[in-house]
Amino acid sequence: MRKVRIAVLVSGGGTNLQTLIDAAEKGDINGEIAAVISDNENAYALERARKHGIKAIYINRKQLAERLIIELQRLDIELVVLAGFLSILDRELVKAYEGRIINIHPSLIPSFCGKGFYGERVHKAALEYGVKVSGATVHFVDEGTDSGPIIFQEAVPVYFEDTSETLAARVLQVEHRLLPAAVGLFCEGRLRIEGRKVKILKEEV
Ligand code: GRF
């Protein structure tokens, strides 16, 4: 089966990206990471890409709306994965890639998500609220923020003595499993969006 051409969009350290690189190299996903694109030229995630011979592209935040879709089309990208990407995608791009953009978010959506909820802020809000579970969500991207159809979720316990660092580390372990699993199913054609829900098919139709 031909490998799906994937672009991973990043802004930070890229540990989620690394799990996708490893999975693709091991053949655990039927996909090829054709490019890693960042809105932060110092993102270590770009270095991770370079170490694996993957095209690493920096696009200034101000030029994203104009240049990102051009790069994706030039690279013949079939799946866009947001892995710690902090900029909001242009509506035109979301429309053009409807059903082909996957995001990982470090909470159980619809809790602690949406505008302003990213990275450590998500875990701080969960701790301040006093929740007993948090977790990670992998979902398709729609025109909202963290609001598209959910592919996978998995909960983790929250302990009284947790800090945002200890909670983030526990959630990140779940992220590192859920994201490659979701991307793998997409690359096998086994994810079907039905309204707000995502059906996981036994095999590709
Ligand atoms: C992760 O918590 C991810 O959920 C969030 O950004 C954080 C850093 O991810 N979106 P990474 O190490 O850069 O993949």
Side-chain angles (χ1 to χ4, degrees):
M1 202 162 130
R2 189 178 61 79
K3 286 184 181 296
V4 173
R5 288 179 62 79
I6 302 167
V8 184
L9 275 48
V10 296
S11 299
T15 64
N16 278 293
L17 165 70
Q18 192 63 57
T19 67
L20 294 175
I21 291 173
D22 297 345
E25 286 181 351
K26 280 192 288 187
D28 291 347
I29 58 176
N30 183 43
E32 173 203 358
I33 300 175
V36 173
I37 301 174
S38 182
D39 56 356
N40 167 9
E41 63 186 328
N42 302 314
Y44 184 64
L46 288 174
E47 189 51 34
R48 291 180 190 270
R50 292 185 195 106
K51 280 185 180 167
H52 287 266
I54 297 169
K55 192 186 292 289
I57 301 168
Y58 162 62
I59 301 180
N60 180 303
R61 278 196 176 89
K62 296 188 190 64
Q63 296 175 321
L64 273 175
E66 172 203 336
R67 281 189 51 203
L68 181 54
I69 192 165
I70 292 169
E71 288 291 343
L72 294 175
Q73 288 167 341
R74 181 175 68 83
L75 290 161
D76 194 19
I77 296 302
E78 298 163 285
L79 172 65
V80 179
V81 179
L82 310 184
F85 186 65
L86 298 181
S87 293
I88 302 295
L89 293 181
D90 184 61
R91 287 176 65 84
E92 183 202 346
L93 190 152
V94 173
K95 201 109 200 77
Y97 284 86
E98 191 176 356
R100 297 189 291 154
I101 308 175
I102 289 176
N103 181 46
I104 176 94
H105 182 78
S107 76
L108 295 176
I109 290 175
S111 297
F112 312 115
C113 66
K115 219 162 164 42
F117 284 101
Y118 55 86
E120 191 187 4
R121 292 179 177 205
V122 174
H123 306 298
K124 275 196 175 340
L127 292 172
E128 274 156 26
Y129 196 95
V131 294
K132 295 300 181 184
V133 290
S134 190
T137 302
V138 188
H139 63 95
F140 283 108
V141 171
D142 65 7
E143 63 290 335
T145 304
D146 301 329
S147 55
I150 291 171
I151 303 167
F152 281 139
Q153 290 188 300
E154 185 174 315
V156 300
V158 180
Y159 301 115
F160 186 87
E161 58 282 345
D162 264 327
T163 62
S164 52
E165 290 77 16
T166 58
L167 180 54
R170 194 172 307 125
V171 172
L172 204 54
Q173 287 183 324
V174 170
E175 294 177 48
H176 290 170
R177 278 190 288 103
L178 295 194
L179 187 58
V183 171
L185 287 171
F186 181 95
C187 292
E188 290 166 27
R190 291 179 51 199
L191 295 179
R192 180 193 288 159
I193 301 175
E194 295 183 1
R196 270 218 54 85
K197 294 201 275 189
V198 177
K199 189 171 203 170
I200 296 173
L201 306 176
K202 289 267 174 295
E203 62 259 334
E204 188 191 11
V205 283

